[in-house]
Amino acid sequence: MTSRPIVTVQAAKEGEKSGASLALPSVFRAPIRPDILNFVHDQMRKNTRQPYAVHVKAGHQVSAESWGTGRAVARIPRVRGGGTSRSGQGAFGNMCRGGRMFAPTKTWRKWHRRINVQQRRFAVASAIAATGVTSLVMARGHRIEKISEVPLVVSDSVQDLKKTKEAVAFLKRVKAWPDIQKVYASQRFRAGRGKMRNRARIQKRGPLVIYAKDNGLCRAFRNIPGVTLICVSRLNLLKLAPGGHLGRFVIWSESAFRQLDQIYAKSKLPDNKMASTDLTGILRSDEVKAAVRPRQARQARAVLKKNPLKNVNVMAKLNPYALVLKRKAILAQRKALAKKRKADAPASSQKQQQKKQPAAKKAKQAAVKGKAVKK
Amino acid sequence: MNSDDLIWQIINNSFCSFMTKTKTSKFCRNEYNLTGLCNRHSCPLANSQYATVREEDGVIYLYMKVAERAHLPAKMWERVKLHRNYERAIGQIKEKLIYWNNWIRRRVIARFDRLLEVQKRSRRLVLTSETKLVPLSRKVERRERRREDKALVRAGLETAIEKEMLDRLRAANPEEFVNVDRAAYEKALQAVEVEDEEDDEESEEEEEDESESETEYVEDFDESEEEIEDIQEQQEEGEEEEPPVRQKLTLSSRGAAAIAPPRKRAKVTVEYDSD
C-alpha cells in the first residue's frame, strides 16, 4: 500500500485546535487473523495463573489395610482399630469417603505457556489492525456511533489530565461516554462461587487509552469504570483483544500514534497471505472471469417415468396421433350409446304408458334431447 | 485489507454483539439492519455499501452508508427524509439508490411499505382502543390483598359497631324503646334466658365489683329482682343491637354484657303494644 489514509487528531481539551493530520501507521494494514490471535490469547492468559493442588498426604493419613477375602466385605483397604465409627470404613480409594481423589492435582502441572515471538507479534499487530476497523469495534459491542473517526487519535494534552472530572469531560467531548455508560449498565454480580473468592463484581470492558507518556493521565482515568490504560511501548494483547475477541475501542494519544510507526518498522510486520481479502470482488473480477469457462446451461435432471398406457399426456408426448385415435374412439362410443338409447326408448315407453303417461312422455323427450345433443 | 468478506468472516464465526440466535434462525439487533436477520447480505457491519429505511418519531428516513465514510462513525449514515407522498417517496428511494445493488433496492422499498403499514395500524389502534391495559404485578397484588384482609381483621368492624350502638343505647332515652314485633321479642327473650344463666355469673361479679368502686342507685338489694331487671335490660339491649333484623334475633348480648361498662341502675320498664 503506497498511499496511506489520513487520520485527523481530535482536540482533547476545550479551545484546542484539532486537525493535525497523521498518516495511518502500517500496523493498521497488518493481516487480521482471528485464529492466530485466539491461540496466542489463550496461551498468554495461562501465564498469570497461580498453581493449585490438593495436599500431598490428603487421603493417606490413615493406616488402613485390606481385610482380604473371606469376610463378606469388599476388598478395599479398611481403617484399623476400633472404638470409633471411622474404624472399618474404606480408605485410600478415590471411591471411598475420605479417601484420596483420583489423580491428585500436583503443583508441578505446566501452568504457563511459552509462545513464539513471531506469533506474539503477529497477534498484537492483528489486534491493533482490528481496532482500526469500525465494524469490528462495533461488533465487539462498543458504543462508538457518535465518534468522529476510527482510529480515534487525540492531542497530547490528554496525557496531562490530572483530575477525573477532566477525564470525564474529555470522554464526553470525544463522544466516548456512551461506552462508559454501557459499562455502568453492565455492572452486576458474578454467578457462582467466584463471589466468595473475591471476584464478586463484574462489568464490561470500556475504552482502552494508549499513551506515550503519563503526565497524570493514569490517575485521572483509572477510577472511571471500564477504562484501561497502557503505554505504547508495552502493548498487551490481553488488553487489545480482551476475551480473544478482536476490536477493542482504543483512544490513542497523538505521540503514541506516531510511535507506532517506529515500533512496527516494516520488517517487523507480518506479511499478508492475500493481497486483497475481498473474495467476492476477486471472484467477480475480469481476470478471473476471463480464465473461467462459461457457465453451464441448466442440467437435465432425471424425470420420473410414467406409464404412457395410463397417462394420457405422456402417451401424447410419445405419439401425438394417439390423441386423435382416442378422440375418435370416444365419439364412436357416444354414438353407439345414443343409438342404443333410441332403440330402447320406444320399448320402455310402451310399458310405462299403462302406468304413467307423463313419465313416458318424459322418456321420449329425454331420448329426443339426447339425440339432439349427441348430434 | 479490511474488506467486507473478512469482516463478515470474523463477525459470523467468532463474535458479534448484535447477533441473537433462536432455535430456527439468527437475528440481528442492529438498528440499521434491513431485514432483522443475521445474513451476509443483511449485515450493516459487513457491507460497506448499505441502505435502510427507518422511522423516527413518525417520520420515515432513508439511511445510506458508503465505503468512503466507513471510518467516520459519526457521519457514516446519510439521512434523507422521505416524502409524505408515496409515489414521490418511492421515486426518491429509486433515485438515491439508482446504481446500487438490486437486492438492497428491492428490500428498502419492501421495508418502506411495511413501515407505512405499521404506521397505519398504530394510528388506527390509537383511535379504536379506549381501554388502556395496565400491567399488574402479581407479587404486589397478592401482597396488597393480604394486607387488606389483615387490616380488616384489625379494624374490628363488628366490635366497633357494637360499641357504637351500645353508646347510642345508653345515650338514648329508655322510654323511646318501642317493641314492634311481639313474636320476635318473645323469641329474643327465650334466647336471652338461655344465655342468661351464663351471663348471670359474669354480671354478678361485675355488680359486686361495681358496688365497691362506684356509687350506684339501687332500690332493692334483692338479687332476684335485679336479675329480672338485668334480663329486661339485656333484652332491651339485645333488641337495640339489631334494629334492622326483627325476625331473627341472634343475640350477642353475652358479648354486650361482658363488655358493658359500669351499668347505671336505671330502671327500665317494658311496655307492650297490644296488637
Side-chain angles (χ1 to χ4, degrees):
Chain A
M1 297 296 280
T2 43
S3 64
R4 281 200 261 140
I6 305 290
V7 178
T8 327
V9 178
Q10 312 294 326
K13 288 196 177 149
E14 267 196 57
E16 229 179 47
K17 255 199 294 177
S18 68
S21 306
L22 305 171
L24 191 74
S26 39
V27 209
F28 288 91
R29 292 277 172 233
I32 297 178
R33 291 268 248 118
D35 52 336
I36 293 180
L37 188 131
N38 204 17
F39 173 73
V40 175
H41 178 91
D42 270 348
Q43 306 290 72
M44 274 184 85
R45 229 156 47 91
K46 293 178 184 173
N47 292 340
T48 47
R49 292 204 289 182
Q50 286 186 352
Y52 62 86
V54 177
H55 190 67
V56 185
K57 294 193 196 162
H60 281 283
Q61 294 183 21
V62 132
S63 67
E65 197 163 327
S66 172
W67 289 354
T69 48
R71 294 255 238 143
V73 289
R75 290 177 278 172
I76 188 94
R78 290 178 185 276
V79 176
R80 316 190 109 189
T84 170
S85 47
R86 179 71 175 134
S87 49
Q89 286 183 349
F92 290 153
N94 54 319
M95 62 288 230
C96 297
R97 180 175 181 275
R100 155 225 9 100
M101 64 181 273
F102 162 71
T105 47
K106 300 292 180 198
T107 50
W108 55 80
R109 178 198 297 224
K110 187 172 155 199
W111 301 104
H112 308 96
R113 298 284 183 275
R114 51 178 305 284
I115 314 146
N116 300 333
V117 181
Q118 296 297 330
Q119 271 184 332
R120 269 185 266 151
R121 288 184 185 153
F122 201 128
V124 176
S126 265
I128 294 174
T131 64
V133 183
T134 328
S135 299
L136 292 178
V137 182
M138 280 185 172
R140 202 183 162 277
H142 292 284
R143 316 250 67 197
I144 56 166
E145 286 91 17
K146 298 263 163 51
I147 293 204
S148 42
E149 192 175 3
V150 168
L152 183 61
V153 186
V154 251
S155 61
D156 278 337
S157 45
V158 204
Q159 295 172 164
D160 301 327
L161 289 177
K162 300 267 188 317
K163 303 281 272 168
T164 312
K165 264 211 182 115
E166 293 168 12
V168 170
F170 158 75
L171 287 170
K172 288 189 176 168
R173 187 175 318 113
V174 165
K175 308 285 171 32
W177 192 247
D179 209 24
I180 311 280
Q181 282 178 320
K182 183 206 72 169
V183 173
Y184 272 114
S186 72
Q187 286 176 336
R188 62 207 184 278
F189 280 103
R190 185 188 296 267
R193 285 269 166 213
K195 279 194 289 300
M196 43 165 95
R197 295 181 184 171
N198 306 328
R199 289 176 247 129
R201 312 179 107 246
I202 44 175
Q203 66 190 22
K204 285 206 179 142
R205 285 276 171 216
L208 173 66
V209 181
I210 302 183
Y211 59 89
K213 185 166 186 230
D214 177 14
N215 290 330
L217 167 100
C218 279
R219 294 241 203 106
F221 277 92
R222 72 184 180 194
N223 206 25
I224 302 173
V227 174
T228 318
L229 297 135
I230 51 174
C231 181
V232 209
S233 46
R234 260 165 282 191
L235 290 169
N236 188 345
L237 180 70
L238 301 173
K239 306 272 185 332
L240 283 165
H245 294 139
L246 294 160
R248 183 153 186 197
F249 171 34
V250 178
I251 303 175
W252 304 88
S253 77
E254 194 183 333
S255 24
F257 206 64
R258 281 181 209 273
Q259 269 196 36
L260 277 177
D261 256 330
Q262 294 160 21
I263 295 171
Y264 285 96
K266 222 16 175 22
S267 55
K268 271 198 190 175
L269 270 183
D271 291 325
N272 283 308
K273 271 231 148 74
M274 285 174 82
S276 158
T277 47
D278 184 11
L279 191 65
T280 7
I282 293 171
L283 291 173
R284 288 182 189 159
S285 68
D286 294 330
E287 292 93 328
V288 170
K289 274 192 184 167
V292 145
R293 66 155 164 73
R295 188 186 207 170
Q296 268 186 349
R298 268 275 185 85
Q299 288 181 345
R301 299 285 175 175
V303 182
L304 179 67
K305 179 171 191 245
K306 295 191 179 175
N307 189 357
L309 296 172
K310 289 192 192 169
N311 191 316
V312 181
N313 290 326
V314 177
M315 188 56 163
K317 247 196 218 170
L318 291 171
N319 175 17
Y321 194 62
L323 280 177
V324 175
L325 286 172
K326 235 194 164 94
R327 178 152 178 76
K328 267 197 183 165
I330 292 172
L331 288 172
Q333 205 180 34
R334 283 198 191 154
K335 257 192 190 169
L337 251 179
K339 261 192 184 172
K340 202 181 172 200
R341 283 201 193 154
K342 200 182 172 185
D344 285 342
S348 66
S349 69
Q350 277 179 8
K351 283 181 192 173
Q352 282 177 8
Q353 255 178 1
Q354 293 161 14
K355 291 179 185 175
K356 285 179 186 176
Q357 282 197 341
K361 274 192 183 170
K362 266 193 186 172
K364 273 193 183 171
Q365 282 170 7
V368 170
K369 268 189 191 168
K371 263 197 201 169
V373 165
K374 274 151 200 170
K375 278 182 182 169
Chain B
M1 291 307 111
N2 308 318
S3 66
D4 298 342
D5 273 325
L6 178 67
I7 293 172
W8 173 246
Q9 247 224 322
I10 295 173
I11 290 176
N12 195 26
N13 293 332
S14 95
F15 180 72
C16 177
S17 61
F18 298 105
M19 195 259 290
T20 348
K21 260 196 211 175
T22 56
K23 277 200 179 156
T24 44
S25 43
K26 288 207 296 191
F27 293 103
C28 179
R29 279 186 287 121
N30 193 313
E31 33 184 34
Y32 290 98
N33 193 312
L34 199 49
T35 56
L37 303 170
C38 183
N39 270 333
R40 175 71 184 88
H41 283 291
S42 315
C43 185
L45 300 176
N47 285 298
S48 46
Q49 199 182 42
Y50 198 76
T52 344
V53 223
R54 270 180 71 195
E55 187 194 324
E56 313 239 329
D57 296 329
V59 188
I60 301 182
Y61 297 97
L62 169 68
Y63 284 85
M64 288 170 291
K65 165 187 157 187
V66 277
E68 287 78 31
R69 295 195 304 265
H71 61 292
L72 308 165
K75 297 181 193 157
M76 200 156 61
W77 294 98
E78 179 194 339
R79 186 166 89 165
V80 174
K81 184 173 168 184
L82 291 175
H83 214 270
R84 302 271 320 269
N85 180 322
Y86 181 74
E87 305 292 335
R88 284 224 195 143
I90 297 289
Q92 270 181 304
I93 293 174
K94 288 197 174 160
E95 179 209 329
K96 291 284 173 186
L97 305 179
I98 185 165
Y99 297 118
W100 283 47
N101 192 359
N102 254 330
W103 182 87
I104 284 190
R105 290 230 307 273
R106 272 191 286 130
R107 259 343 231 96
V108 164
I109 292 175
R111 192 181 170 89
F112 178 58
D113 291 335
R114 177 60 66 86
L115 284 178
L116 288 177
E117 273 178 40
V118 171
Q119 271 191 335
K120 224 194 285 179
R121 210 189 307 146
S122 47
R123 283 181 200 137
R124 207 178 296 150
L125 269 177
V126 171
L127 292 173
T128 52
S129 69
E130 290 154 12
T131 52
K132 186 178 178 190
L133 294 174
V134 173
L136 287 180
S137 166
R138 208 181 300 153
K139 181 178 170 188
V140 174
E141 290 301 308
R142 226 189 286 152
R143 200 205 304 152
E144 292 305 308
R145 187 140 49 90
R146 194 98 181 84
R147 288 194 180 157
E148 273 175 33
D149 294 339
K150 285 186 192 164
L152 190 66
V153 169
R154 253 184 278 122
L157 281 176
E158 282 192 16
T159 51
I161 291 173
E162 260 191 87
K163 239 190 179 178
E164 174 64 28
M165 303 209 71
L166 285 177
D167 290 339
R168 285 199 199 162
L169 179 74
R170 253 169 268 116
N173 215 322
E175 281 137 15
E176 286 170 11
F177 294 153
V178 172
N179 289 326
V180 177
D181 192 349
R182 183 81 190 268
Y185 182 74
E186 294 290 311
K187 256 199 216 166
L189 249 183
Q190 287 172 10
V192 172
E193 276 171 16
V194 173
E195 287 181 15
D196 217 38
E197 287 161 0
E198 303 160 35
D199 269 311
D200 263 4
E201 295 168 356
E202 293 176 39
S203 57
E204 272 183 314
E205 286 169 17
E206 281 184 63
E207 281 168 52
E208 284 167 8
D209 290 334
E210 285 158 14
S211 61
E212 289 163 5
S213 53
E214 286 177 67
T215 50
E216 294 162 11
Y217 304 96
V218 188
E219 287 206 8
D220 284 316
F221 199 74
D222 199 341
E223 287 196 33
S224 56
E225 277 192 30
E226 284 175 354
E227 278 176 36
I228 297 166
E229 286 173 9
D230 287 344
I231 293 168
Q232 288 169 352
E233 268 195 72
Q234 283 166 18
Q235 284 161 8
E236 293 288 58
E237 290 181 17
E239 268 205 29
E240 271 304 302
E241 273 179 48
E242 321 265 352
V245 184
R246 295 274 176 217
Q247 297 303 318
K248 174 182 120 188
L249 279 179
T250 49
L251 291 174
S252 50
S253 53
R254 188 202 305 178
I259 293 170
R263 237 180 286 151
K264 292 179 187 165
R265 294 279 156 250
K267 253 222 162 156
V268 178
T269 50
V270 182
E271 291 173 1
Y272 294 100
D273 283 310
S274 54
D275 284 330

